[in-house]
Amino acid sequence: MRSSTRILPSFAAAITLAAALLLTACGNGGPAVDTPRPALVVHPGALNLSAEAFAGDVRARQESPLAFQISGHLIRRLVDVGARVTKGQVLAELDPGDVGLNVDAARATLATAQADLQLAQAERDRYRALAAKQAVSRSQLDTTENTFKAAAARVQQASAQLDVARNQAGYASLHAPADGVIAQRQAEAGQIVAAGQAIFTLADDGDREVQISIPEQRIAAFKVGQ
């Protein structure tokens, strides 16, 4: 009986200490209680079965093919598809060798024609002096006059050909006619291109339009202004 009396107070003290430790743990660092979070709710509406969708492209209202005015060997392409260009910008170049030779040939032809004109003029002036002295016939004077006129015409023709050759030399560079974006490229450096052959397609800055594709069986369902 004496030993039982000593054990009971010790057991009660242990229970009291354990309860105190449990309460301390719950108050400091215990698991937090989850709080309810709001949820986003979307109510489905009625499906619009009348709506239709078609694939389409947005493009410039004005698209211009760009080409050289002369034929030649394309040696440089300075822009690519998607590049934004400004009016007057050089886009591509032809080999200037051939057009340069044409200019040299036209210049030489003009020099020859001018020399012939000087000779014909001197001959005409001499025959005019002789005709004034009645040393030559009228027909001989007319012949020298006609020779002089023909030489003068050849000078004018050679001068015009030189101007054309010089213009063609300027045509060896392809310039943008307006501001815009390169939409297509139809030639590569190294090609021999003909006069008028499209090298680029330029989409001009300005108005845009949408081009869509409608199935053939649905065309009758669409009206102008719908």
Side-chain angles (χ1 to χ4, degrees):
M1 291 297 294
R2 289 181 181 179
S3 60
S4 298
T5 303
R6 286 193 297 266
I7 292 174
L8 289 177
S10 300
F11 181 71
I15 292 176
T16 302
L17 179 61
L21 292 175
L22 181 60
L23 291 175
T24 302
C26 291
N28 297 324
V33 179
D34 291 338
T35 58
R37 291 176 296 177
L40 297 178
V41 179
V42 177
H43 296 282
L47 180 61
N48 185 8
L49 297 178
S50 62
E52 295 181 281
F54 301 96
D57 296 324
V58 178
R59 59 180 62 207
R61 178 166 295 179
Q62 181 67 33
E63 292 188 356
S64 308
L66 306 181
F68 289 99
Q69 298 187 41
I70 59 174
S71 59
H73 179 205
L74 181 61
I75 60 172
R76 296 181 65 192
R77 178 178 55 78
L78 303 177
V79 295
D80 207 342
V81 176
R84 174 165 291 280
V85 299
T86 57
K87 183 178 181 180
Q89 180 178 342
V90 178
L91 308 180
E93 294 178 345
L94 296 178
D95 187 354
D98 294 339
V99 292
L101 292 176
N102 292 337
V103 172
D104 293 340
R107 186 180 292 113
T109 301
L110 177 60
T112 301
Q114 289 173 339
D116 292 342
L117 177 61
Q118 291 178 355
L119 180 61
Q121 183 177 4
E123 189 73 3
R124 183 202 63 176
D125 293 343
R126 187 173 70 87
Y127 268 76
R128 280 182 176 180
L130 292 174
K133 298 177 182 179
Q134 296 183 351
V136 295
S137 64
R138 183 65 187 179
S139 62
Q140 290 177 313
L141 178 60
D142 291 341
T143 300
T144 57
E145 292 282 359
N146 292 333
T147 302
F148 171 77
K149 292 178 181 179
R154 285 194 296 271
V155 169
Q156 292 180 352
Q157 181 181 8
S159 179
Q161 290 176 346
L162 179 59
D163 291 339
V164 171
R166 286 172 174 169
N167 289 337
Q168 288 182 341
Y171 296 152
S173 296
L174 181 62
H175 299 264
D179 296 345
V181 176
I182 299 299
Q184 295 181 22
R185 182 189 72 244
Q186 291 97 337
E188 292 290 347
Q191 288 185 233
I192 303 298
V193 297
Q197 176 182 343
I199 307 300
F200 299 105
T201 298
L202 177 66
D204 296 353
D205 285 346
D207 295 338
R208 294 290 186 265
E209 60 185 10
V210 180
Q211 181 179 10
I212 63 174
S213 299
I214 299 176
E216 184 176 356
Q217 63 271 19
R218 297 285 296 128
I219 293 179
F222 293 91
K223 306 299 179 183
V224 175
Q226 182 176 348

